[in-house]
Amino acid sequence: MAENPANRPILVDLQDVHLSFGAVEVLKGIDLTVAKGDAVSIIGPSGSGKSTILRCINGLAQPQAGRITVAGIRVDALRSEAERIALRKRIGVVFQQYNLFPHLTVLENITLAPVRILKVPRAEAERHARDLLARVRLADKVSAYPSALSGGQQQRVAIARALAMRPELVLFDEVTSALDPEMVGEVLAVIRELVREGLTSILVTHEMRFAEEISDTIAFTENGRIVAQAPPAELFYRSDNPRIRQFIGGFQGFRDAVQDREGI
Amino acid sequence: MIDAALQRFIAGAAALGLHYDFLLSGGEVRSWLAGMAMTLLLVVLAIPLSLLAGTAFAAALTSGRPWLAGPVRAYVELTRNTPTLVQLMFAFFALNMLLSRALGGAAHNPFSPVFWVVAVTGLHVAAFHAEALRGGIEAVPAPLVEAAQATGFSGLEILRYVTLPLALRTALPALVNNLVNLVKLTTIGSAVAVNEVTYASIMIWTQRDNVLELMIVILLFFGLINLTVSRIGRAVERRLAVPGYGVGYGV
Ligand SMILES: Nc1ncnc2c1ncn2[C@@H]1O[C@H](COP(=O)(O)OP(=O)(O)OP(=O)(O)O)[C@@H](O)[C@H]1O
Ligand SMILES: [Mg+2]
């Protein structure tokens, strides 16, 4: 099992996960560990299987081999849709494309699942939703429709919507990739705050500086494998894997930082 | 007062060569009004039936379950591609007869001609509703459905809270069109002697030779019903309009 310095319980554990779509092998033996309260980032080239890893964790994709344990549940052993639904209620997901329900207001987007799935009384769900909207700094957008919001605002609503289910784990899949540069900061600020408060999260991201700043560990994926999972400083500055060095070096601004530290 | 107005109308119409004097004969007027009431009853029963069945058919067609989608697909194709009149004849003369026999005689058969007219027209139009709604359901972007799945909604909950509400918005103009057709379709009730407005009119004009006079009123009557249907449809459209989606799209 991967290192777990704080000795916190392991919330997510993937061991040797294999997944193929038809003849295409997408995951070729994934090992990943996330301790409770940790933020783990997954970085790596496009098509290397990052989103598929997240989809395995909440049971949206089913691997052919390997063990996936989330909060004590053997996800790979779940056979019925009802069991997978029970799992998904405990895991929040935020997507690149926000995916807010276009026919519902911001408040309705956030309360729909708690009211309909968890059967939370509407008044209580709305109170919680307003609290969450205040946290993502959108208290004034309660009755707006998604189409009336900027990308950054929609993404913050999507984060609030995920948190409304009081998840034990939140998966963020490239949540800033579709945003205009000036909106990236406002979304990252929200995530940073959540991570500081102890939210367990897995973030697929191309924001290297952000990943370095907030992550407890970073996993580097390539071609269906996790090449390394290590604390940011180790992975970014002390890795002797040329592919990792090359990938990280390819991100603008990062090269300079790496070179600074290496005294080049 | 009403009598005086009626007299004046009949006189005025007569001046134009139209003979509405049957309006003064109590029996014919009563059966004519009963015909209008029957048409309204057929419409009021068949519209909700068509919408409920159409929704259920659309759900089956998009369920991804062959044992559910297959039979419904077959039904939809059959009903869309055969004349409704023939369907009604089949239902009333074949199905109803078999039912009567199975139940030990027509006296024990609870299904009236009105029942069959409502069932056939309602389920016929339901096939068209189903196609319109299916198109709308399939047009919902896959990532949106995946987001709902990831939240923990079941397939049926996703249909109810996400895809169907969105499909309704895109399909609404088509649904209203189907309902307008449904209203007109109720006239096939005359083929099985249901006393709807055309049947009642035929009874009168075979006695009086006033086809044109009755036709004018029938056309106005259906025009009025369908004007109302369209108006309600537009009102629902406006109520459901969401900026950036479906009927409100691009406006
Ligand atoms: N449903 C599917 N059917 C077939 N192939 C798929 C499916 N989903 C993903 N793939 C393939 O699996 C591979 C990994 O996809 P995945 O989306 O996990 O990559 P990713 O690392 O998230 O990439 P990106 O950075 O572009 O989002 C890709 O080659 C993709 O084409
Ligand atoms: Mg991806």
Side-chain angles (χ1 to χ4, degrees):
Chain A
M1 200 152 290
E3 64 188 307
N4 182 19
N7 263 330
R8 276 165 298 182
I10 301 294
L11 192 68
V12 181
D13 188 33
L14 277 70
Q15 285 179 32
D16 200 27
V17 170
H18 291 259
L19 183 142
S20 306
F21 291 113
V24 186
E25 199 177 10
V26 173
L27 302 184
K28 304 173 183 170
I30 295 289
D31 297 291
L32 183 74
T33 312
V34 181
K36 199 166 166 48
D38 270 6
V40 171
S41 294
I42 302 178
I43 63 172
S46 180
S48 60
K50 304 182 296 294
S51 299
T52 307
I53 294 172
L54 297 189
R55 299 177 78 243
C56 285
I57 290 171
N58 73 354
L60 277 177
Q62 283 134 43
Q64 280 83 28
R67 295 161 67 102
I68 301 175
T69 315
V70 178
I73 300 171
R74 275 291 296 277
V75 178
D76 57 284
L78 299 181
R79 285 293 163 262
S80 73
E81 190 62 12
E83 290 173 314
R84 288 191 199 100
I85 285 172
L87 170 79
R88 287 177 201 142
K89 291 176 190 174
R90 304 168 61 176
I91 304 174
V93 186
V94 184
F95 298 88
Q96 182 175 339
Q97 291 296 345
Y98 338 127
N99 294 331
L100 296 180
F101 304 126
H103 60 302
L104 300 180
T105 64
V106 165
L107 191 71
E108 290 163 346
N109 260 281
I110 299 174
T111 56
L112 182 69
V115 170
R116 299 298 180 184
I117 300 179
L118 301 181
K119 312 292 178 201
V120 175
R122 184 172 295 279
E124 190 186 322
E126 290 189 355
R127 205 176 321 119
H128 188 207
R130 286 173 199 278
D131 288 349
L132 291 169
L133 280 173
R135 280 176 72 180
V136 300
R137 290 176 272 290
L138 286 172
D140 54 332
K141 297 294 184 188
V142 170
S143 34
Y145 281 93
S147 56
L149 301 180
S150 74
Q153 290 171 331
Q154 289 190 55
Q155 195 57 293
R156 283 183 281 150
V157 173
I159 293 172
R161 181 176 68 172
L163 295 175
M165 293 288 280
R166 303 184 191 276
E168 292 156 70
L169 167 72
V170 179
L171 313 175
F172 295 90
D173 193 353
E174 297 196 37
V175 296
T176 57
S177 297
L179 295 177
D180 291 337
E182 68 267 26
M183 293 172 188
V184 170
E186 67 194 44
V187 171
L188 293 185
V190 167
I191 298 174
R192 180 183 292 120
E193 204 171 296
L194 294 170
V195 167
R196 289 218 178 109
E197 288 166 12
L199 178 76
T200 313
S201 54
I202 304 177
L203 307 97
V204 172
T205 183
H206 290 302
E207 299 289 335
M208 294 301 151
R209 285 190 179 285
F210 182 70
E212 178 185 19
E213 176 200 335
I214 65 142
S215 307
D216 294 281
T217 60
I218 296 181
F220 179 78
T221 56
E222 185 174 40
N223 198 13
R225 292 199 173 78
I226 290 197
V227 179
Q229 183 182 0
E234 204 171 300
L235 194 95
F236 282 166
Y237 306 110
R238 293 197 288 278
S239 172
D240 44 22
N241 183 319
R243 277 298 293 133
I244 298 180
R245 292 173 69 96
Q246 187 194 347
F247 180 78
I248 292 165
F251 282 84
Q252 233 197 348
F254 226 87
R255 196 178 338 225
D256 311 337
V258 173
Q259 287 172 350
D260 279 353
R261 299 222 189 170
E262 290 179 345
I264 298 170
Chain B
M1 176 61 193
I2 292 173
D3 270 358
L6 192 60
Q7 295 282 6
R8 230 174 307 127
F9 167 74
I10 291 171
L16 295 169
L18 297 167
H19 303 290
Y20 283 101
D21 29 321
F22 81 98
L23 290 172
L24 295 172
S25 87
E28 281 174 334
V29 171
R30 258 195 307 283
S31 95
W32 205 42
L33 290 177
M36 293 190 186
M38 175 56 76
T39 293
L40 289 175
L41 178 72
L42 294 176
V43 164
V44 161
L45 292 176
I47 283 181
L49 172 67
S50 75
L51 291 170
L52 285 176
T55 305
F57 291 163
L61 288 174
T62 56
S63 67
R65 287 163 211 208
W67 57 270
L68 204 57
V72 173
R73 167 56 54 202
Y75 169 79
V76 167
E77 290 311 321
L78 188 72
T79 190
R80 285 204 313 165
N81 294 305
T82 54
T84 326
L85 184 59
V86 175
Q87 293 163 14
L88 179 63
M89 302 270 198
F90 175 77
F92 187 66
F93 294 117
L95 284 186
N96 197 42
M97 210 64 83
L98 290 175
L99 255 169
S100 289
R101 208 172 296 163
L103 295 171
H108 303 281
N109 185 345
F111 297 111
S112 63
V114 171
F115 167 85
W116 290 109
V117 173
V118 169
V120 167
T121 56
L123 292 177
H124 177 82
V125 171
F128 290 84
H129 289 337
E131 282 296 78
L133 287 170
R134 181 189 58 80
I137 290 170
E138 286 172 355
V140 174
L144 196 63
V145 174
E146 182 162 319
Q149 276 178 323
T151 311
F153 284 107
S154 69
L156 222 50
E157 287 168 335
I158 293 174
L159 186 73
R160 173 159 170 210
Y161 300 119
V162 183
T163 47
L164 204 53
L166 291 171
L168 182 62
R169 287 165 168 84
T170 40
L172 205 53
L175 297 184
V176 172
N177 246 338
N178 296 343
L179 293 180
V180 165
N181 278 325
L182 172 55
V183 169
K184 297 185 282 188
L185 211 49
T186 57
T187 54
I188 64 167
S190 59
V192 292
V194 167
N195 187 45
E196 46 71 58
V197 68
T198 55
Y199 186 84
S201 301
I202 292 168
M203 292 298 114
I204 297 170
W205 76 48
T206 48
Q207 300 295 317
R208 294 210 177 233
D209 194 23
N210 54 355
V211 177
L212 179 61
E213 287 80 352
L214 296 188
M215 262 322 168
I216 292 171
V217 177
I218 294 175
L219 293 177
L220 286 175
F221 180 63
F222 278 107
L224 205 64
I225 298 178
N226 273 336
L227 191 69
T228 310
V229 168
S230 304
R231 278 283 170 87
I232 293 173
R234 292 302 290 271
V236 174
E237 255 178 53
R238 269 196 302 276
R239 240 194 90 92
L240 292 182
V242 166
Y245 205 90
V247 284
Y249 196 79
V251 176

